[in-house]
Amino acid sequence: MIVNSEALFNSSDCFLVPNIVANNLIQEGRPVYIAVYLYALCQYNSGNLSISNSAIADALKVNVIDVVNAFLFFNSKGLIKIHNFKSIDDAEFDIEFIGSGNYNKKTCGEFRPSYKTQEIVKNLNDNSRLSGMYKMVSQILGKNLSTSDIELLYSFYDYYALPVEVILVLIEYFVSKGKRSLKALEKEVAKWANAGVDSVRKAKNYIKKREDFLSYAYKVRSIVGISERKLSEKELCFINKWQNEYKASEDDVKKAFEITVDKTGKLAFAYMDAVLHSFLGVPEPKKTVPRKSVPKTSSRYNFDALQKKAFENINKINNGGGC
């Protein structure tokens, strides 16, 4: 309990700190990150705009790499923008404080930090759940983790801020899909982080949504006769719109494809989109016989089995079996 009935400070003695830093990021980021942010914000409010990252490190008695990683972390959270960034080895760059309204508009992956081995080892020694996760991931992948794997996996936890259990669920899911490279999974990790997947429940929903989309996209591929090549990003965007915005059924897509071929003589996703929009996208007056609804698709992925396995892994970590 906090009891205080008097104003503590004059306005000239303090500066504003975004609520999200105190209420949200103080739990996500490492303590040194919060210290760097507050110190830099204090310097900004005092008009000391020429202070360097090295000077901040000296003032806080921390390693300059901690300052760099802190700013990369707050950049990923949408609280600052980084300018003149050359490489992770160059500790000096410019930062711009921006409004807290951009919180959660993450840009994960743009400036992923680099971690020193001794830093990771120290955190593994201090965190049994984290060290247990490393052993579990090694078992899931069926190999010893390389130095780059160890650093990348640590970034999933520290930079992308995914909980241990979510990281395990993600890796087990994509390994079941044939993806066994952590480097190849980084884009997926960034997507999960940007989508706010921070619990097993949210992971379940995210995986189900992904599986439903894969099933729907597979049916569209069959309808339009695409079997040899991958779908382009633009084509995937159209399909996503048909599934989630237009609620187009297989019959709707077939009809649009037939009309498109009749009119253009070829497959044209933009034309198909216009056709679907013409009889699905615009709200229509209520009719006695409703239009066909989208058939429910069952997930091809057994999430219950995944969730059970993930919980078994977490229990092993909690009981010391994975350390």
Side-chain angles (χ1 to χ4, degrees), residues 226-241:
I226 296 177
S227 58
E228 298 297 326
R229 67 171 177 83
K230 290 183 177 180
L231 293 166
S232 69
E233 288 294 326
K234 192 170 184 179
E235 290 169 341
L236 288 170
C237 286
F238 277 126
I239 294 173
N240 182 62
K241 185 196 294 186

Side-chain angles (χ1 to χ4, degrees), residues 44 71 75 78-83 94-99:
Y44 167 77
F71 286 139
N75 173 80
L79 283 172
I80 68 168
K81 286 183 180 178
I82 290 178
H83 302 281
D94 301 322
I95 69 165
E96 174 189 356
F97 286 101
I98 59 179

